[in-house]
Amino acid sequence: QVQLVESGGGLVQAGGSLRLSCAASGRTFTNYAMGWFRQAPGKEREFVAAINWSATSTYYADSVKGRFTISRDNAKTTVYLQMNSLKPEDTAVYYCAAKAFFFSASSKEYDYWGQGTQVTVSS
């Protein structure tokens, strides 16, 4: 089992920044690729970003490319999502997830999920 706990969400004005954190515990952190997903009210959960176990490879949704940065600190068993130039359409509950071996943009392939953290961007 892997337990994931997100933090860092909140209310921010358009153009502002937030950094989300996801602390992992349980099984060996480096066995897992990590992803961030988000879900807005009335919409399906969508992929945001992912990172491989060694932090040498990342992947982003087109909607956040150039604005968001995913990173991980394996010594701290934590993955981060730095969000800059936030837009009202970024408002959602953000979830981190863990997947054995290779990362994916498909939520169905992730094995473990956090409880989510709310991000609200005001215009």
Side-chain angles (χ1 to χ4, degrees):
Q1 289 281 4
V2 175
Q3 292 78 43
L4 303 172
V5 179
E6 301 97 334
S7 61
L11 174 64
V12 64
Q13 288 188 333
S17 298
L18 282 175
R19 188 176 83 153
L20 306 183
S21 299
C22 174
S25 61
R27 294 188 174 179
T28 305
F29 187 59
T30 51
N31 285 347
Y32 294 89
M34 301 297 295
W36 285 97
F37 292 79
R38 66 186 182 186
Q39 188 167 19
K43 294 188 177 181
E44 293 187 354
R45 191 169 297 188
E46 65 173 0
F47 170 75
V48 175
I51 189 167
N52 71 339
W53 73 273
S54 61
T56 55
S57 183
T58 58
Y59 182 57
Y60 296 92
D62 287 344
S63 59
V64 306
K65 201 173 295 183
R67 299 189 298 122
F68 291 11
T69 303
I70 188 171
S71 62
R72 66 189 292 164
D73 184 333
N74 287 339
K76 296 183 178 179
T77 65
T78 300
V79 62
Y80 305 97
L81 186 68
Q82 177 67 43
M83 305 185 295
N84 299 329
S85 302
L86 282 160
K87 304 175 181 179
E89 51 263 44
D90 294 319
T91 295
V93 177
Y94 283 71
Y95 299 89
C96 72
K99 176 185 178 297
F101 307 117
F102 306 108
F103 62 61
S104 169
S106 172
S107 62
K108 296 178 181 179
E109 296 188 25
Y110 284 78
D111 304 302
Y112 302 101
W113 292 84
Q115 83 289 348
T117 186
Q118 176 70 47
V119 172
T120 303
V121 184
S122 63
S123 57

